[in-house]
Amino acid sequence: MRKLLNFNKNWIFENSEVCLPHNAIELPFNYFDEKTYQREFIYEKIIIPNSTWDNKEVSVVFEAAMANTQVFLNNKKIISHTDGYSPFTARLTDELQKGENILKVKIDGSENPSIPPFGGRIDYLTYAGIYRDVHLRITSPILIQNIKIETPNVLNEKKSVKVNVNLFNPKKITLSGFLIAKLKDMEGKILSTSKFKITREEICFEIDKLENIKLWDIDNPVLYTLDIWVETPYGIDNLSERFGFRSAEFTKDGFFLNGNPLKIRGLNRHQSFPYIGYALGKSAQYKDAEILKYDLRINLVRTSHYPQSKHFLNRCDEIGLLVFEEIAGWQHIGDKEWQNKSIENVQNMIERDWN
């Protein structure tokens, strides 16, 4: 079974113990020099494996770090990541040793012109640090990498769900076993169960003839859950995704949600806050979405100008707040290297948030 453990505590940062999410510098409420965080910072943490990790895939999942990141285990580089807003995974499986292992994360907060959004002029600050949650993920050797869910015919009486499940098989083990999919409503009632043989790393299937399905709407944000279980001779992995049945379309006559015209009332939202910069936790992300929805009475928020926290987006889904999501950047297009990186950022954003 998949274990996703909180990995936010007991990091060493500049000779002090800190908890993530973390801003690399202490911010005053008033003016400060932004160059203070445009340098390299180092976070360290000790990992001690236990016997339950044997024959498992062990990784550290970073929800985001700003901005140019390198991860080392026992001084061996594991991964580099040059997108300050997307998640990345450091696979430790083949490098873990018995006893203490030192995980080191180097972060350069400088405005590198080859990394979006940098290189031109931006109207916001990009505070350095491991500013979102970090998880320790322990799974079977064959695991679910991601799930893509589509609802192609939401305005029909009988609806369907198209699903793509991609498996991660780093050791290239011969694939066998079964994939089990369970579709549940908001009360946890199982609406459909499907079972498929695993013969390759991408499994595509459709759940059709679904009746009495409620649409996701800003006034009635109904969410369904798809539970995916992968059972192989090497173990079981499981992952769940929430999604809604809804259509959203811009036309020459305006915006239509589920076939009905909707006047958009929206605001831009940045993810920076006094004192803590980008390092806002789950409860505060939830509260910010609720302020936009219930206090300011908007129905759409634009994530200017970068992908924002999954916690914030999840709460928007739950309370009926539409989101216009953007990649990192504002009024600047760099050279070919910059452009290729921006295209990669688009892919990262879509794959994280396509449900």
Side-chain angles (χ1 to χ4, degrees), residues 11 20 30 38 57 62 68 79 84 108 115 125 131 136 168 185 206 213 217 227 249 255 275 278 285 291-292 329 339:
W11 288 83
L20 308 180
N30 54 359
Q38 293 182 20
E57 274 293 312
F62 297 82
N68 189 348
I79 189 174
D108 190 344
I115 301 174
L125 300 179
Y131 70 91
L136 180 67
F168 184 46
D185 64 14
E206 187 168 349
I213 295 294
D217 192 87
D227 289 338
E249 184 181 15
F255 176 70
Y275 306 114
Y278 277 178
Q285 296 282 357
I291 290 171
L292 292 169
Q339 293 172 38

Side-chain angles (χ1 to χ4, degrees), residues 47-99:
I47 302 176
I48 303 176
N50 61 58
S51 58
T52 63
W53 299 7
D54 294 346
N55 302 314
K56 301 286 187 181
E57 274 293 312
V58 181
S59 300
V60 177
V61 180
F62 297 82
E63 294 296 336
M66 181 59 68
N68 189 348
T69 306
Q70 299 178 76
V71 181
F72 301 81
L73 186 67
N74 301 323
N75 290 321
K76 180 177 180 179
K77 185 188 288 188
I78 302 297
I79 189 174
S80 296
H81 187 74
T82 55
D83 176 1
Y85 299 98
S86 68
F88 58 99
T89 300
R91 181 175 177 263
L92 309 183
T93 307
D94 301 327
E95 305 300 332
L96 282 169
Q97 304 171 1
K98 291 184 177 180

Side-chain angles (χ1 to χ4, degrees), residues 209-225:
K209 298 180 181 178
L210 294 169
E211 297 183 293
N212 301 316
I213 295 294
K214 296 179 180 179
L215 299 185
W216 184 98
D217 192 87
I218 60 172
D219 297 320
N220 189 31
V222 179
L223 294 172
Y224 292 80
T225 300

Side-chain angles (χ1 to χ4, degrees), residues 56-324:
K56 301 286 187 181
E57 274 293 312
V58 181
S59 300
V60 177
V61 180
F62 297 82
E63 294 296 336
M66 181 59 68
N68 189 348
T69 306
Q70 299 178 76
V71 181
F72 301 81
L73 186 67
N74 301 323
N75 290 321
K76 180 177 180 179
K77 185 188 288 188
I78 302 297
I79 189 174
S80 296
H81 187 74
T82 55
D83 176 1
Y85 299 98
S86 68
F88 58 99
T89 300
R91 181 175 177 263
L92 309 183
T93 307
D94 301 327
E95 305 300 332
L96 282 169
Q97 304 171 1
K98 291 184 177 180
E100 290 189 355
N101 294 259
I102 298 178
L103 184 70
K104 180 185 293 185
V105 182
K106 287 185 179 181
I107 293 176
D108 190 344
S110 304
E111 294 192 2
N112 187 329
S114 67
I115 301 174
F118 306 123
R121 180 181 299 172
I122 55 175
D123 65 340
Y124 55 95
L125 300 179
T126 54
Y127 308 94
I130 306 178
Y131 70 91
R132 290 183 185 158
D133 293 326
V134 178
H135 310 282
L136 180 67
R137 187 182 69 193
I138 303 166
T139 70
S140 64
I142 298 173
L143 61 144
I144 303 165
Q145 181 162 290
N146 58 44
I147 304 168
K148 181 184 180 184
I149 302 168
E150 296 179 86
T151 54
N153 53 359
V154 297
L155 300 183
N156 294 354
E157 183 178 347
K158 292 184 179 181
K159 301 175 179 34
S160 64
V161 179
K162 293 176 65 176
V163 183
N164 282 38
V165 178
N166 288 285
L167 304 182
F168 184 46
N169 182 17
K171 295 185 177 180
K172 301 303 176 185
I173 300 171
T174 302
L175 291 173
S176 63
F178 294 93
L179 181 149
I180 299 169
K182 295 183 179 181
L183 178 63
K184 300 178 180 178
D185 64 14
M186 290 189 73
E187 287 71 46
K189 178 184 176 182
I190 297 175
L191 305 179
S192 171
T193 301
S194 308
K195 188 174 184 179
F196 308 92
K197 284 187 177 181
I198 297 173
T199 58
R200 58 181 196 169
E201 291 177 3
E202 183 179 18
I203 302 106
C204 305
F205 59 92
E206 187 168 349
I207 304 170
D208 57 9
K209 298 180 181 178
L210 294 169
E211 297 183 293
N212 301 316
I213 295 294
K214 296 179 180 179
L215 299 185
W216 184 98
D217 192 87
I218 60 172
D219 297 320
N220 189 31
V222 179
L223 294 172
Y224 292 80
T225 300
L226 186 67
D227 289 338
I228 300 292
W229 297 77
V230 170
E231 299 180 1
T232 72
Y234 313 98
I236 298 173
D237 189 39
N238 63 292
L239 190 62
S240 297
E241 284 282 353
R242 290 191 311 176
F243 68 101
F245 289 82
R246 64 102 182 95
S247 67
E249 184 181 15
F250 284 95
T251 77
K252 61 183 178 62
D253 297 316
F255 176 70
F256 287 76
L257 180 65
N258 300 329
N260 300 312
L262 177 68
K263 182 177 177 61
I264 291 174
R265 302 185 306 279
L267 291 172
N268 298 336
R269 188 238 187 194
H270 278 289
Q271 65 177 15
S272 54
F273 287 80
Y275 306 114
I276 59 174
Y278 277 178
L280 197 70
K282 179 179 178 179
S283 61
Q285 296 282 357
Y286 271 37
K287 182 62 177 177
D288 216 36
E290 291 164 4
I291 290 171
L292 292 169
K293 171 76 175 185
Y294 300 122
D295 295 347
L296 301 180
R297 301 291 181 177
I298 69 171
N299 57 26
L300 183 144
V301 57
R302 172 182 175 225
T303 67
S304 55
H305 305 277
Y306 37 77
Q308 298 186 8
S309 167
K310 284 285 289 184
H311 297 313
F312 177 74
L313 298 182
N314 285 340
R315 192 58 181 152
C316 290
D317 284 350
E318 292 171 354
I319 63 179
L321 187 59
L322 293 163
V323 178
F324 183 100

